[in-house]
């Protein structure tokens, strides 16, 4: 049996409003880009008619188109929710820092 390797745990990463807002801006940028890309793909797919009369091919192409748009929309929403959550966390941290003054 090989020897166990002991991994060091990472140091405690403290969160700060600047780190939160940086992460929120990155997530919002990704969400915006994915939204624009998903919208472009949806418009291209809607403008392109299917070229076959085969029922199975039509159903499969509809399934693939639906999956493409669903995955794109889902990923866009995930990044958007992350951005909003990080902004709300920043607001909470600012309020806690303002109103939790040490009692002396």
């Amino acid at each position: 049996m090989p020897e166990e390797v002991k991994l060091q745990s990472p140091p405690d990463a403290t969160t700060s409003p600047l780190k939160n807002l940086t992460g929120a801006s990155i997530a919002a940028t990704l969400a915006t880009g994915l939204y624009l890309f998903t919208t472009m793909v949806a418009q291209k797919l809607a403008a392109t008619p299917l070229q076959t009369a085969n029922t199975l091919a039509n159903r499969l192409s509809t399934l693939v188109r639906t999956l493409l748009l669903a995955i794109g929309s889902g990923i866009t929403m995930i990044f958007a929710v992350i951005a909003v959550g990080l902004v709300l966390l920043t607001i909470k941290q600012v309020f806690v820092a303002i109103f939790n003054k040490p009692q002396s």
Side-chain angles (χ1 to χ4, degrees):
M1 187 160 163
E3 296 180 19
E4 292 183 21
V5 177
K6 293 190 177 189
L7 300 175
Q8 295 179 356
S9 62
D12 292 335
T14 59
T15 60
S16 69
L18 181 61
K19 287 182 184 178
N20 293 341
L21 290 177
T22 302
S25 65
I26 292 170
T29 302
L30 287 172
T32 304
L34 286 168
Y35 171 75
L36 295 173
F37 179 73
T38 303
T39 305
M40 180 194 66
V41 169
Q43 289 174 354
K44 295 282 185 186
L45 290 176
T48 306
L50 299 174
Q51 300 286 332
T52 182
N54 188 349
T55 306
L56 180 61
N58 282 336
R59 288 183 180 180
L60 286 176
S61 65
T62 303
L63 177 69
V64 169
R65 288 175 180 216
T66 304
L67 286 175
L68 279 173
L69 294 179
I71 290 171
S73 299
I75 294 172
T76 301
M77 289 306 299
I78 288 171
F79 280 112
V81 168
I82 289 171
V84 170
L86 284 172
V87 169
L88 293 174
L89 178 63
T90 301
I91 292 170
K92 178 190 169 223
Q93 285 179 343
V94 168
F95 278 132
V96 166
I98 291 172
F99 295 118
N100 277 352
K101 294 184 180 178
Q103 304 279 334
S104 46

